[in-house]
PDB file of all heavy atoms in Angstrom:
ATOM      1  N   ASP A   1     -14.248  -7.304   3.301  1.00 87.00           N
ATOM      2  CA  ASP A   1     -15.273  -6.292   2.909  1.00 87.00           C
ATOM      3  C   ASP A   1     -14.824  -4.878   3.291  1.00 87.00           C
ATOM      4  O   ASP A   1     -15.137  -3.895   2.605  1.00 87.00           O
ATOM      5  CB  ASP A   1     -16.612  -6.632   3.567  1.00 87.00           C
ATOM      6  CG  ASP A   1     -17.224  -7.934   2.951  1.00 87.00           C
ATOM      7  OD1 ASP A   1     -16.752  -8.249   1.803  1.00 87.00           O
ATOM      8  OD2 ASP A   1     -18.058  -8.564   3.620  1.00 87.00           O
ATOM      9  N   SER A   2     -14.235  -4.733   4.537  1.00 87.00           N
ATOM     10  CA  SER A   2     -13.791  -3.405   5.034  1.00 87.00           C
ATOM     11  C   SER A   2     -12.693  -2.867   4.074  1.00 87.00           C
ATOM     12  O   SER A   2     -12.671  -1.659   3.835  1.00 87.00           O
ATOM     13  CB  SER A   2     -13.189  -3.543   6.438  1.00 87.00           C
ATOM     14  OG  SER A   2     -14.227  -3.992   7.270  1.00 87.00           O
ATOM     15  N   ILE A   3     -11.820  -3.736   3.604  1.00 86.00           N
ATOM     16  CA  ILE A   3     -10.723  -3.237   2.676  1.00 86.00           C
ATOM     17  C   ILE A   3     -11.329  -2.894   1.288  1.00 86.00           C
ATOM     18  O   ILE A   3     -10.963  -1.885   0.739  1.00 86.00           O
ATOM     19  CB  ILE A   3      -9.648  -4.335   2.560  1.00 86.00           C
ATOM     20  CG1 ILE A   3      -8.934  -4.552   3.918  1.00 86.00           C
ATOM     21  CG2 ILE A   3      -8.641  -3.922   1.535  1.00 86.00           C
ATOM     22  CD1 ILE A   3      -7.991  -5.672   3.951  1.00 86.00           C
ATOM     23  N   LYS A   4     -12.227  -3.729   0.864  1.00 83.00           N
ATOM     24  CA  LYS A   4     -12.844  -3.460  -0.463  1.00 83.00           C
ATOM     25  C   LYS A   4     -13.701  -2.153  -0.431  1.00 83.00           C
ATOM     26  O   LYS A   4     -13.777  -1.384  -1.418  1.00 83.00           O
ATOM     27  CB  LYS A   4     -13.694  -4.648  -0.914  1.00 83.00           C
ATOM     28  CG  LYS A   4     -12.894  -5.834  -1.320  1.00 83.00           C
ATOM     29  CD  LYS A   4     -13.848  -7.094  -1.456  1.00 83.00           C
ATOM     30  CE  LYS A   4     -14.797  -6.934  -2.585  1.00 83.00           C
ATOM     31  NZ  LYS A   4     -15.594  -8.180  -2.876  1.00 83.00           N
ATOM     32  N   ALA A   5     -14.171  -1.801   0.761  1.00 80.00           N
ATOM     33  CA  ALA A   5     -15.063  -0.640   0.892  1.00 80.00           C
ATOM     34  C   ALA A   5     -14.279   0.667   0.613  1.00 80.00           C
ATOM     35  O   ALA A   5     -14.815   1.696   0.346  1.00 80.00           O
ATOM     36  CB  ALA A   5     -15.698  -0.594   2.289  1.00 80.00           C
ATOM     37  N   ILE A   6     -12.926   0.614   0.794  1.00 80.00           N
ATOM     38  CA  ILE A   6     -12.117   1.821   0.563  1.00 80.00           C
ATOM     39  C   ILE A   6     -11.525   1.763  -0.897  1.00 80.00           C
ATOM     40  O   ILE A   6     -10.612   2.544  -1.113  1.00 80.00           O
ATOM     41  CB  ILE A   6     -11.054   2.026   1.609  1.00 80.00           C
ATOM     42  CG1 ILE A   6     -10.095   0.878   1.624  1.00 80.00           C
ATOM     43  CG2 ILE A   6     -11.679   2.128   3.003  1.00 80.00           C
ATOM     44  CD1 ILE A   6      -8.858   1.107   2.589  1.00 80.00           C
ATOM     45  N   GLY A   7     -11.988   0.869  -1.725  1.00 74.00           N
ATOM     46  CA  GLY A   7     -11.553   0.835  -3.110  1.00 74.00           C
ATOM     47  C   GLY A   7     -10.400  -0.043  -3.462  1.00 74.00           C
ATOM     48  O   GLY A   7      -9.825   0.007  -4.534  1.00 74.00           O
ATOM     49  N   LEU A   8     -10.041  -0.974  -2.569  1.00 80.00           N
ATOM     50  CA  LEU A   8      -8.954  -1.870  -2.839  1.00 80.00           C
ATOM     51  C   LEU A   8      -9.488  -3.287  -2.969  1.00 80.00           C
ATOM     52  O   LEU A   8      -9.985  -3.888  -2.063  1.00 80.00           O
ATOM     53  CB  LEU A   8      -7.925  -1.837  -1.621  1.00 80.00           C
ATOM     54  CG  LEU A   8      -7.346  -0.484  -1.250  1.00 80.00           C
ATOM     55  CD1 LEU A   8      -6.434  -0.539  -0.081  1.00 80.00           C
ATOM     56  CD2 LEU A   8      -6.595   0.153  -2.463  1.00 80.00           C
ATOM     57  N   ASP A   9      -9.421  -3.811  -4.217  1.00 78.00           N
ATOM     58  CA  ASP A   9     -10.090  -5.093  -4.543  1.00 78.00           C
ATOM     59  C   ASP A   9      -9.047  -6.159  -4.796  1.00 78.00           C
ATOM     60  O   ASP A   9      -9.425  -7.374  -4.679  1.00 78.00           O
ATOM     61  CB  ASP A   9     -10.892  -4.960  -5.787  1.00 78.00           C
ATOM     62  CG  ASP A   9     -12.063  -3.977  -5.652  1.00 78.00           C
ATOM     63  OD1 ASP A   9     -12.629  -3.904  -4.616  1.00 78.00           O
ATOM     64  OD2 ASP A   9     -12.338  -3.179  -6.630  1.00 78.00           O
ATOM     65  N   THR A  10      -7.853  -5.887  -4.970  1.00 82.00           N
ATOM     66  CA  THR A  10      -6.821  -6.894  -5.289  1.00 82.00           C
ATOM     67  C   THR A  10      -5.681  -6.893  -4.287  1.00 82.00           C
ATOM     68  O   THR A  10      -5.485  -5.925  -3.510  1.00 82.00           O
ATOM     69  CB  THR A  10      -6.186  -6.703  -6.659  1.00 82.00           C
ATOM     70  OG1 THR A  10      -5.502  -5.470  -6.645  1.00 82.00           O
ATOM     71  CG2 THR A  10      -7.367  -6.616  -7.726  1.00 82.00           C
ATOM     72  N   ALA A  11      -4.917  -8.010  -4.249  1.00 84.00           N
ATOM     73  CA  ALA A  11      -3.819  -8.176  -3.326  1.00 84.00           C
ATOM     74  C   ALA A  11      -2.776  -7.100  -3.461  1.00 84.00           C
ATOM     75  O   ALA A  11      -2.283  -6.536  -2.574  1.00 84.00           O
ATOM     76  CB  ALA A  11      -3.235  -9.589  -3.486  1.00 84.00           C
ATOM     77  N   LYS A  12      -2.433  -6.925  -4.844  1.00 82.00           N
ATOM     78  CA  LYS A  12      -1.388  -5.930  -5.008  1.00 82.00           C
ATOM     79  C   LYS A  12      -1.759  -4.479  -4.646  1.00 82.00           C
ATOM     80  O   LYS A  12      -0.968  -3.699  -4.151  1.00 82.00           O
ATOM     81  CB  LYS A  12      -1.010  -5.870  -6.529  1.00 82.00           C
ATOM     82  CG  LYS A  12      -0.139  -7.097  -7.009  1.00 82.00           C
ATOM     83  CD  LYS A  12       1.294  -6.903  -6.516  1.00 82.00           C
ATOM     84  CE  LYS A  12       2.194  -7.974  -6.911  1.00 82.00           C
ATOM     85  NZ  LYS A  12       2.528  -7.973  -8.300  1.00 82.00           N
ATOM     86  N   ALA A  13      -3.075  -4.170  -4.830  1.00 82.00           N
ATOM     87  CA  ALA A  13      -3.549  -2.843  -4.428  1.00 82.00           C
ATOM     88  C   ALA A  13      -3.383  -2.616  -2.951  1.00 82.00           C
ATOM     89  O   ALA A  13      -3.018  -1.568  -2.470  1.00 82.00           O
ATOM     90  CB  ALA A  13      -4.989  -2.718  -4.894  1.00 82.00           C
ATOM     91  N   VAL A  14      -3.703  -3.726  -2.177  1.00 86.00           N
ATOM     92  CA  VAL A  14      -3.518  -3.614  -0.728  1.00 86.00           C
ATOM     93  C   VAL A  14      -2.115  -3.493  -0.311  1.00 86.00           C
ATOM     94  O   VAL A  14      -1.743  -2.693   0.577  1.00 86.00           O
ATOM     95  CB  VAL A  14      -4.255  -4.821  -0.080  1.00 86.00           C
ATOM     96  CG1 VAL A  14      -4.008  -4.806   1.451  1.00 86.00           C
ATOM     97  CG2 VAL A  14      -5.762  -4.858  -0.368  1.00 86.00           C
ATOM     98  N   ILE A  15      -1.263  -4.341  -0.892  1.00 85.00           N
ATOM     99  CA  ILE A  15       0.168  -4.302  -0.602  1.00 85.00           C
ATOM    100  C   ILE A  15       0.793  -2.911  -0.865  1.00 85.00           C
ATOM    101  O   ILE A  15       1.669  -2.407  -0.131  1.00 85.00           O
ATOM    102  CB  ILE A  15       0.899  -5.392  -1.309  1.00 85.00           C
ATOM    103  CG1 ILE A  15       0.476  -6.784  -0.810  1.00 85.00           C
ATOM    104  CG2 ILE A  15       2.430  -5.266  -1.257  1.00 85.00           C
ATOM    105  CD1 ILE A  15       1.002  -7.930  -1.671  1.00 85.00           C
ATOM    106  N   ASN A  16       0.344  -2.319  -2.005  1.00 82.00           N
ATOM    107  CA  ASN A  16       0.953  -1.044  -2.375  1.00 82.00           C
ATOM    108  C   ASN A  16       0.273   0.144  -1.644  1.00 82.00           C
ATOM    109  O   ASN A  16       0.862   1.280  -1.653  1.00 82.00           O
ATOM    110  CB  ASN A  16       0.778  -0.819  -3.910  1.00 82.00           C
ATOM    111  CG  ASN A  16       1.673  -1.722  -4.711  1.00 82.00           C
ATOM    112  OD1 ASN A  16       2.797  -2.013  -4.335  1.00 82.00           O
ATOM    113  ND2 ASN A  16       1.160  -2.301  -5.791  1.00 82.00           N
ATOM    114  N   ALA A  17      -0.769  -0.049  -1.023  1.00 83.00           N
ATOM    115  CA  ALA A  17      -1.434   0.995  -0.233  1.00 83.00           C
ATOM    116  C   ALA A  17      -0.659   1.236   1.097  1.00 83.00           C
ATOM    117  O   ALA A  17      -0.132   0.331   1.621  1.00 83.00           O
ATOM    118  CB  ALA A  17      -2.863   0.629   0.070  1.00 83.00           C
ATOM    119  N   PRO A  18      -0.602   2.457   1.554  1.00 82.00           N
ATOM    120  CA  PRO A  18       0.084   2.786   2.791  1.00 82.00           C
ATOM    121  C   PRO A  18      -0.597   1.999   3.987  1.00 82.00           C
ATOM    122  O   PRO A  18      -1.803   1.994   4.028  1.00 82.00           O
ATOM    123  CB  PRO A  18      -0.097   4.252   2.918  1.00 82.00           C
ATOM    124  CG  PRO A  18      -0.389   4.745   1.626  1.00 82.00           C
ATOM    125  CD  PRO A  18      -1.150   3.696   0.887  1.00 82.00           C
ATOM    126  N   ARG A  19       0.187   1.508   4.853  1.00 83.00           N
ATOM    127  CA  ARG A  19      -0.296   0.753   6.013  1.00 83.00           C
ATOM    128  C   ARG A  19      -1.212   1.663   6.854  1.00 83.00           C
ATOM    129  O   ARG A  19      -2.292   1.203   7.403  1.00 83.00           O
ATOM    130  CB  ARG A  19       0.919   0.259   6.831  1.00 83.00           C
ATOM    131  CG  ARG A  19       0.510  -0.384   8.143  1.00 83.00           C
ATOM    132  CD  ARG A  19       1.768  -0.926   8.817  1.00 83.00           C
ATOM    133  NE  ARG A  19       1.460  -1.544  10.131  1.00 83.00           N
ATOM    134  CZ  ARG A  19       1.354  -0.832  11.260  1.00 83.00           C
ATOM    135  NH1 ARG A  19       1.461   0.459  11.225  1.00 83.00           N
ATOM    136  NH2 ARG A  19       1.052  -1.464  12.428  1.00 83.00           N
ATOM    137  N   GLU A  20      -0.805   3.002   6.974  1.00 82.00           N
ATOM    138  CA  GLU A  20      -1.606   3.905   7.831  1.00 82.00           C
ATOM    139  C   GLU A  20      -2.998   4.061   7.296  1.00 82.00           C
ATOM    140  O   GLU A  20      -3.967   4.211   8.015  1.00 82.00           O
ATOM    141  CB  GLU A  20      -0.863   5.254   7.921  1.00 82.00           C
ATOM    142  CG  GLU A  20       0.413   5.143   8.750  1.00 82.00           C
ATOM    143  CD  GLU A  20       1.607   4.816   7.789  1.00 82.00           C
ATOM    144  OE1 GLU A  20       1.333   4.343   6.622  1.00 82.00           O
ATOM    145  OE2 GLU A  20       2.745   4.893   8.228  1.00 82.00           O
ATOM    146  N   MET A  21      -3.141   4.036   5.884  1.00 81.00           N
ATOM    147  CA  MET A  21      -4.414   4.276   5.291  1.00 81.00           C
ATOM    148  C   MET A  21      -5.301   3.077   5.631  1.00 81.00           C
ATOM    149  O   MET A  21      -6.563   3.228   5.841  1.00 81.00           O
ATOM    150  CB  MET A  21      -4.247   4.480   3.787  1.00 81.00           C
ATOM    151  CG  MET A  21      -5.559   4.817   3.034  1.00 81.00           C
ATOM    152  SD  MET A  21      -5.334   5.082   1.291  1.00 81.00           S
ATOM    153  CE  MET A  21      -5.495   3.416   0.689  1.00 81.00           C
ATOM    154  N   LEU A  22      -4.747   1.872   5.582  1.00 84.00           N
ATOM    155  CA  LEU A  22      -5.542   0.655   5.858  1.00 84.00           C
ATOM    156  C   LEU A  22      -6.068   0.714   7.335  1.00 84.00           C
ATOM    157  O   LEU A  22      -7.171   0.351   7.581  1.00 84.00           O
ATOM    158  CB  LEU A  22      -4.708  -0.617   5.642  1.00 84.00           C
ATOM    159  CG  LEU A  22      -4.256  -0.918   4.205  1.00 84.00           C
ATOM    160  CD1 LEU A  22      -3.249  -2.036   4.132  1.00 84.00           C
ATOM    161  CD2 LEU A  22      -5.475  -1.254   3.352  1.00 84.00           C
ATOM    162  N   VAL A  23      -5.226   1.184   8.227  1.00 84.00           N
ATOM    163  CA  VAL A  23      -5.611   1.261   9.609  1.00 84.00           C
ATOM    164  C   VAL A  23      -6.735   2.318   9.771  1.00 84.00           C
ATOM    165  O   VAL A  23      -7.762   2.056  10.421  1.00 84.00           O
ATOM    166  CB  VAL A  23      -4.424   1.631  10.497  1.00 84.00           C
ATOM    167  CG1 VAL A  23      -4.880   1.876  11.898  1.00 84.00           C
ATOM    168  CG2 VAL A  23      -3.429   0.535  10.458  1.00 84.00           C
ATOM    169  N   GLU A  24      -6.584   3.493   9.229  1.00 82.00           N
ATOM    170  CA  GLU A  24      -7.502   4.568   9.441  1.00 82.00           C
ATOM    171  C   GLU A  24      -8.772   4.451   8.641  1.00 82.00           C
ATOM    172  O   GLU A  24      -9.903   4.451   9.160  1.00 82.00           O
ATOM    173  CB  GLU A  24      -6.814   5.935   9.127  1.00 82.00           C
ATOM    174  CG  GLU A  24      -5.830   6.379  10.197  1.00 82.00           C
ATOM    175  CD  GLU A  24      -5.478   7.820  10.035  1.00 82.00           C
ATOM    176  OE1 GLU A  24      -6.164   8.545   9.308  1.00 82.00           O
ATOM    177  OE2 GLU A  24      -4.504   8.223  10.714  1.00 82.00           O
TER     178      GLU A  24
END
């Protein structure tokens, strides 16, 4: 839910997103 809240709904979207963005 935390990841989806920043607009990332799929596995590829999360993998391609910067790690720092996921943390912050």
Side-chain angles (χ1 to χ4, degrees):
D1 290 341
S2 296
I3 297 173
K4 287 170 67 177
I6 64 171
L8 305 176
D9 298 323
T10 66
K12 282 288 181 71
V14 176
I15 292 172
N16 290 321
R19 177 177 176 275
E20 294 85 351
M21 188 177 85
L22 294 171
V23 172
E24 285 195 13

